[in-house]
Amino acid sequence: MNTVQYGQWKIAVDVEKTKQYYAALPQPTDQASRNFAEYCQMMPPEERAFFDSFGIDPVRCSVHGFFMDKEKTFPCGGTLLFCGSYLECPPENLMTIEELAAKDFMDDRPDPRVTIGIFRFDFIRRDFLSDEMPEGFLGIEFFCDDMKWLLKERCEEERLYEPPRFWEIHKQIAGYFRQKKQQKAFLLEEQQQFEALFQRLSISAVPLSKKEIRRHRVRWLRAYAPADANWQELRALCLDGRGCSVFPWHIFSFGVLECVQNEEAQALFDRESKGSCILLNNIAPIAYRLADASTLTAADLEDLIDVTITPENFLWTYSKTHEGMCGPYFYKKD
């Protein structure tokens, strides 16, 4: 582990693991990312040193562009991932909207962000990390106000010659909160479906925390990963793919691990002796530890959208998918 410090952030970094993570990623092909990669070829040493200190390959970063102005400035930003842990963090200085209004909306709090060259870096605190984050990794959001358009081809992003109107900003904010509300409603509906099933079958079930779910997903993949499989590629396929949906059962649907499918898989699952098991929702961060799953059948799991059930010893596993052409899948170790 290397130790780096930027501002009040003191961080332990596993540079080699971060390099391995980026080495397994494909280079993005969208315009914003390619324009960013072009800049990386001429990046000043002080900016390059920041990326190198974490083992981050900026060329493989997925970048989001916003617009291009008349001066051919192309502001962009994105999220960087690195393997490590925070040793010291600046104090979290929260302010309510009422306190901000009392100061005429002048935010005079110290800025915890780090500015290097044209980059502004914002380390993501643990409480705000995405559930999709790989185990042991942290994140950095970055933004470049003064990035130039460097590609010879025409920029496909909309040109912006004036600030957005207030109603356009209001529309974007309203859309964000509407999406969050829909996500919460979906999670609640999923939880209710699970609990209705447990109640109908008189199964004692304890919900897992988000941290326990992340650990279970990794343990599941390690338990069934073939010895000759490339771990980084397999992880990207089944756990943390970028820009696409990933599911544990991709290990079966992509032919990485041979298994029994369809009706035969359902029959084997029904005949299998089931004790204490983990029932995992493959779409949402929901999972339960079942004290005794002996009464659970493949037909019962048809009421759920996309799930994987596994005993505590990982001797076997069964996945019921949301796709009609995929699964169900059953696999048992020799």
Side-chain angles (χ1 to χ4, degrees), residues 15-61:
V15 175
E16 287 306 313
K17 276 193 177 181
T18 305
K19 286 182 177 180
Q20 292 171 11
Y21 173 80
Y22 279 93
L25 294 179
Q27 186 168 336
T29 57
D30 60 280
Q31 271 199 326
S33 298
R34 287 190 289 112
N35 188 72
F36 183 75
E38 191 74 17
Y39 175 79
C40 292
Q41 304 304 320
M42 59 184 78
M43 185 181 288
E46 62 172 347
E47 296 174 354
R48 171 66 65 178
F50 178 88
F51 289 92
D52 289 346
S53 67
F54 291 92
I56 296 170
D57 184 353
V59 173
R60 296 182 184 272
C61 295

Side-chain angles (χ1 to χ4, degrees), residues 92-119:
E92 190 172 8
N93 190 2
L94 301 178
M95 181 183 291
T96 65
I97 189 66
E98 290 80 11
E99 293 171 332
L100 190 60
K103 296 185 177 184
D104 294 326
F105 293 95
M106 296 295 294
D107 191 346
D108 56 359
R109 292 174 296 176
D111 191 347
R113 294 173 296 184
V114 176
T115 300
I116 300 177
I118 68 169
F119 289 89

